[in-house]
Amino acid sequence: MKAFIRSLAMIVPVTGLLYLGINYTFPALASVACLSGTATNHSNNSLAGCVLSRNTEIRVNNSRFFCKEGQPIYFTEKGTFSGCVLSEAIEIRRSSGVEICPINAKVSFSISEDGNQFIDCM
């Protein structure tokens, strides 16, 4: 019986740690491949931007952006995606309807202090 209680004592903390690790999500995940020598950094050494060496999909919360190879991509000092040139058209849902942001358009993304997302298509 003592062996069973010791086993249980070891399993419970480990499964608790796994549970915490699995349920933590990041607001933006992306792997960015930059052309050699094009990366610039913010003063805190985080990536400010670069020229993409391949088409790249960026996901931020519920938004997806398809950034074009050979074009610049930008990030904020906190590492949040802030803009790129689109390799695929995207739909931007607004209170007045849906706006289509076409291929080769510049898109910018930001999040306000209160958590509202802003997407502009130029």
Side-chain angles (χ1 to χ4, degrees):
M1 186 68 173
K2 285 184 180 179
F4 174 74
I5 292 172
R6 283 187 195 145
S7 302
L8 191 58
M10 291 296 288
I11 292 172
V12 170
V14 171
T15 56
L17 289 174
L18 289 174
Y19 179 77
L20 289 174
I22 291 170
N23 286 310
Y24 182 79
T25 58
F26 296 96
L29 295 174
S31 175
V32 178
C34 301
L35 290 175
S36 180
T38 64
T40 58
N41 293 330
H42 290 288
S43 59
N44 66 0
N45 216 25
S46 65
L47 181 64
C50 71
V51 175
L52 293 171
S53 64
R54 66 174 183 239
N55 286 347
T56 304
E57 180 182 348
I58 304 292
R59 294 180 187 209
V60 185
N61 297 335
N62 293 325
S63 300
R64 289 176 27 174
F65 302 93
F66 304 96
C67 300
K68 189 172 185 175
E69 173 184 359
Q71 297 295 318
I73 186 168
Y74 302 101
F75 298 91
T76 67
E77 239 179 292
K78 294 181 180 178
T80 304
F81 169 75
S82 64
C84 71
V85 174
L86 296 176
S87 63
E88 294 182 29
I90 61 169
E91 290 183 351
I92 303 171
R93 298 187 197 308
R94 305 205 186 276
S95 58
S96 60
V98 175
E99 175 186 348
I100 302 295
C101 193
I103 295 172
N104 294 322
K106 292 181 182 178
V107 67
S108 66
F109 175 85
S110 62
I111 301 175
S112 67
E113 292 293 323
D114 59 358
N116 291 321
Q117 294 184 25
F118 298 96
I119 301 171
D120 288 319
C121 179
M122 301 163 262

